[in-house]
Amino acid sequence: MKKILKSTLAIVAVFAAFTSCNNSSKSSNSGALSSNNAEKVYVAPGEHDSHYAFISGGYSGNLTVYGLPSGRMFKEIPVFSQFPTNGYGYSEETKPMLETSYGFVPWDDSHHPDISQTKGKLDGRWVFINGNNTPRIARISLTTFETEEIIEVPNSAGNHSSSFITENTEYVVAGTRFSVPIPQKDMSIKDYKGNFKGALSFISVDPEHGHMDIKFQVLMPGFNYDLSHPGRGKSHGWFFFTTYNTEEANSLLEVNASQNDKDFIAAINWKKIEEYVNNGGGTMMPAEYAHNVYDDNTHTATSTMKKEVRVVNPTEVPGAVYLIPTPKSPHGCDVDPSGEYIVGNGKLSANLTVHSFTKMLDAIKNEKFAGEAYDIPILNFEDVLAGSVEQPGLGPLHTEFDGQGNAYTTFFISSEVVKWKLGTWEVIDRKPTYYSVGHLTIPGGNSAEPFGKYMFAMNKITKDRYLPTGPEMEHSAQLYDISGDKMELLLDFPTHGEPHYAAAIPAEIVKNNSRKIFKLAENEHPKKALSDADTKVVRDGKNVHIYMTMIRSHFSPDNIEGVKVGDKVFFHITNLEQDFDVPHGFAMIGARNAELLIAPGQTRTLTWEPQKVGVWPFYCTDFCSALHQEMQGYIRVSPASSDIELSWSLGE
Ligand code: K7E
Ligand code: CUA
């Protein structure tokens, strides 16, 4: 125990030393923004940014959309969390998106957005993002900027090495951070070692519509699968996962999972396993997981519960899975644009380790193994090593690439981004971040063709960067110009939630596909109302369905009588507008949910259970015209025993 305490204290001491160093280094950098740099981030009023950045919200469960280089936030896209701002997860149409095998789960922790690719290049069709807590993957359309699909991942716990995609978006991959009993069962935690398993899930993506389906899960030893990246180019067909806790400790991991000098990067030949599975390999295993799909025409999501999943034991497929020793509790697992170099960012390692894909293939061919773990061959560290960056900084986490032969690694403890050269492993430049950086992003950074103009670092600690806002500050990102030899700090901008990774893309790949309205003619919502003639109020037992329309500046109908206490009222509201950027809102007094924000051409349903007798108003929440304040109506609620007939009207 003494030893344990000592090493914990040592880690804490190192951390403290560097944290305080960060803060004192601040003064020498404040005010460094020259007017030249100000021009580089200035986007004149009415002008547009050159890049979109999709920044994960971490514990917000959502995804935010920013412009680069201005650092302006354009939108928060609700993904895993209910979002009162537009009623996502509150409206009847969107509630099914948050269904899981545990029931309705209205929150998650989202870490790693990744943009779809074709032939290794960003194609700007979709963004995928993981839910870490209740394992899920979401797909967001970059046409509507709405979440279109969420699939739950069974046999997983802490869906962290996720959601990275292969170079033709064949698969979006999800690896478990926490190993668990598979299938889940009641057993002693102390029996973890040798009994728990880590599932790596390969989720196929339909190339036309993007629909996701779990193709197979590889049931790996009970390590923690932390991060992952796809092979590309020559290594396309492989996927790489960092692991920690190869000790398989089940308690006090800060010490017990830091014992081994090297953990592993697991190299998975998914093409080989795919072939095996296509020939009937693997086993169907009972499992329960939700698959939720949103339809743009019905404007409605449906949730289906799946009942089984295909699992593959790695030893069933010889030549498909290898372990590459990597120092020391590696976090990030990053593959360079050529697909040759695999960077393992050992959090507790002095040097940064880079593996060679070519050497890995040679070692496999020569069957030179250092041993095995649970019958999975372990390669020799030296055989696979391409090189290492010597003492580049403290606490390396994540690496990105600029497509010019350079890599950029974040160092959490020494709070900096370090630029180094692939192949020579020399450090070229280093710049401080403010403070304690996690991920960094270069547009197209996880692709064969990065757009190496900007890089931004997303930090964990904000402290004095902005006006204080009480004990809790938003996190802070720094934007750097990386077009020259030296990185140049251009801008600080606050981010929302806790950004982990972000995916960024030149605006021209996305902006022209952005939807402006939903066409009323294509509205297939079963409860739509496309004109005043369709509006009605229908009683079905205690359920009252109101088919309503909204257009500047009234609801139709706007006077409704005959509703009673104890009824359940469903407002099915269609926004008849067909102009860009004219949503209307709908809010009902006492409704135990949120308002609706309804886009042009869209239908949404709000449920309200009137509790009190009286005459109750509803109104539009979005200032939509000069007569927005007139956009309102009344519902008369009578006692449960009343025999007042349903009636509705507009303008009478
Ligand atoms: Cu390093 Cu979840 Cu990618 Cu945060 S993770 S930083
Ligand atoms: Cu419609 Cu305000």
Side-chain angles (χ1 to χ4, degrees), residues 114-118 122 126 128 163-173 205 229-232 239 446:
D114 206 8
I115 296 171
S116 56
Q117 296 181 24
T118 303
L122 302 189
W126 307 301
F128 297 85
S163 54
F164 301 103
I165 57 148
T166 55
E167 71 176 22
N168 290 300
T169 320
E170 296 97 333
Y171 290 98
V172 54
V173 168
V205 179
H229 264 95
R232 56 176 62 95
F239 223 98
N446 172 38

Side-chain angles (χ1 to χ4, degrees), residues 189-208:
I189 301 167
K190 294 194 171 63
D191 294 333
Y192 176 140
K193 194 166 185 163
N195 293 313
F196 284 26
K197 294 238 170 309
L200 307 180
S201 306
F202 286 74
I203 298 161
S204 61
V205 179
D206 155 48
E208 200 182 337

Side-chain angles (χ1 to χ4, degrees), residues 178-190:
F178 310 119
S179 282
V180 287
I182 296 181
Q184 274 289 7
K185 62 177 175 196
D186 178 20
M187 64 179 280
S188 169
I189 301 167
K190 294 194 171 63

Side-chain angles (χ1 to χ4, degrees), residues 49-54 68 115 122-124 142 442-445 447 449-454 503-512:
D49 280 278
S50 61
H51 293 72
Y52 285 100
F54 300 94
L68 299 179
I115 296 171
L122 302 189
D123 62 25
L142 289 186
I442 291 173
S447 78
E449 291 188 18
F451 305 87
K453 182 171 182 193
Y454 298 116
I505 184 169
E508 65 261 23
I509 303 175
V510 170
K511 66 178 182 192
N512 297 326

Side-chain angles (χ1 to χ4, degrees), residues 190-341:
K190 294 194 171 63
D191 294 333
Y192 176 140
K193 194 166 185 163
N195 293 313
F196 284 26
K197 294 238 170 309
L200 307 180
S201 306
F202 286 74
I203 298 161
S204 61
V205 179
D206 155 48
E208 200 182 337
H209 299 106
H211 290 153
M212 298 183 283
D213 190 21
I214 301 180
K215 178 91 170 174
F216 57 87
Q217 297 188 307
V218 189
L219 299 189
M220 296 286 286
F223 310 150
N224 292 39
Y225 296 85
D226 201 16
L227 275 150
S228 66
H229 264 95
R232 56 176 62 95
K234 62 172 86 167
S235 53
H236 179 58
W238 291 78
F239 223 98
F240 304 95
F241 294 81
T242 42
T243 68
Y244 66 99
N245 193 24
T246 52
E247 297 86 349
E248 295 181 73
N250 58 282
S251 181
L252 196 62
L253 262 66
E254 63 170 324
V255 176
N256 294 329
S258 305
Q259 300 301 308
N260 289 349
D261 184 47
K262 296 188 176 65
D263 296 279
F264 300 121
I265 285 179
I268 312 285
N269 187 333
W270 59 261
K271 276 224 165 136
K272 207 166 216 158
I273 301 176
E274 179 187 59
E275 197 186 312
Y276 173 74
V277 162
N278 285 345
N279 290 321
T283 318
M284 293 310 288
M285 178 183 172
E288 232 196 353
Y289 56 104
H291 184 209
N292 311 328
V293 181
Y294 182 82
D295 183 309
D296 265 348
N297 293 327
T298 62
H299 301 290
T300 302
T302 47
S303 179
T304 318
M305 203 59 73
K306 304 266 232 175
K307 294 291 179 200
E308 54 178 13
V309 68
R310 186 175 297 274
V311 296
V312 174
N313 180 328
T315 58
E316 283 168 38
V317 197
V321 181
Y322 297 92
L323 299 172
I324 310 172
T326 304
K328 187 159 183 172
S329 301
H331 184 56
C333 181
D334 299 295
V335 178
D336 87 303
S338 75
E340 168 63 9
Y341 297 121

Side-chain angles (χ1 to χ4, degrees), residues 290-519:
H291 184 209
N292 311 328
V293 181
Y294 182 82
D295 183 309
D296 265 348
N297 293 327
T298 62
H299 301 290
T300 302
T302 47
S303 179
T304 318
M305 203 59 73
K306 304 266 232 175
K307 294 291 179 200
E308 54 178 13
V309 68
R310 186 175 297 274
V311 296
V312 174
N313 180 328
T315 58
E316 283 168 38
V317 197
V321 181
Y322 297 92
L323 299 172
I324 310 172
T326 304
K328 187 159 183 172
S329 301
H331 184 56
C333 181
D334 299 295
V335 178
D336 87 303
S338 75
E340 168 63 9
Y341 297 121
I342 304 135
V343 185
N345 305 279
K347 297 189 295 279
L348 307 176
S349 169
N351 303 330
L352 201 60
T353 302
V354 186
H355 300 297
S356 155
F357 178 71
T358 311
K359 287 186 170 183
M360 182 191 91
L361 288 188
D362 285 346
I364 292 170
K365 201 167 87 200
N366 300 329
E367 299 189 357
K368 268 190 81 186
F369 302 126
E372 47 190 40
Y374 298 99
D375 299 324
I376 300 170
I378 302 172
L379 299 165
N380 281 297
F381 175 69
E382 291 77 15
D383 290 348
V384 183
L385 186 69
S388 49
V389 187
E390 302 291 324
Q391 308 209 328
L394 287 173
L397 291 188
H398 299 283
T399 299
E400 292 253 299
F401 307 91
D402 62 6
Q404 309 291 320
N406 302 305
Y408 300 74
T409 300
T410 55
F411 290 85
F412 178 83
I413 298 175
S414 50
S415 206
E416 58 190 336
V417 176
V418 174
K419 175 181 180 182
W420 50 276
K421 195 145 200 68
L422 287 161
T424 68
W425 324 120
E426 66 196 304
V427 170
I428 298 167
D429 189 25
R430 59 176 69 242
K431 283 286 179 307
T433 62
Y434 309 95
Y435 303 96
S436 298
V437 59
H439 276 271
L440 75 175
T441 293
I442 291 173
N446 172 38
S447 78
E449 291 188 18
F451 305 87
K453 182 171 182 193
Y454 298 116
M455 174 272 290
F456 59 97
M458 287 157 279
N459 300 281
K460 302 300 179 192
I461 295 169
T462 304
K463 292 200 192 271
D464 51 9
R465 298 306 284 182
Y466 306 117
L467 287 174
T469 54
E472 196 201 330
M473 302 281 287
E474 287 282 38
H475 286 48
S476 178
Q478 273 97 41
L479 179 75
Y480 300 80
D481 180 339
I482 56 165
S483 56
D485 275 353
K486 302 282 176 194
M487 297 174 271
E488 246 188 296
L489 176 60
L490 300 179
L491 182 72
D492 264 12
F493 62 99
T495 52
H496 188 56
E498 182 184 358
H500 291 263
Y501 190 49
I505 184 169
E508 65 261 23
I509 303 175
V510 170
K511 66 178 182 192
N512 297 326
N513 301 326
S514 182
R515 281 285 279 269
K516 294 195 164 61
I517 59 164
F518 296 102
K519 290 195 184 116

Side-chain angles (χ1 to χ4, degrees), residues 550-555 575 577 582-586 619-625 627-632:
M550 56 193 348
I551 193 162
R552 280 163 288 181
S553 297
H554 63 268
F555 296 97
N575 181 348
E577 305 283 353
V582 191
H584 293 285
F586 178 82
Y619 72 101
C620 173
T621 49
D622 184 291
F623 206 107
C624 49
S625 76
L627 296 171
H628 156 78
Q629 289 299 79
E630 283 72 11
M631 197 166 170
Q632 62 175 54

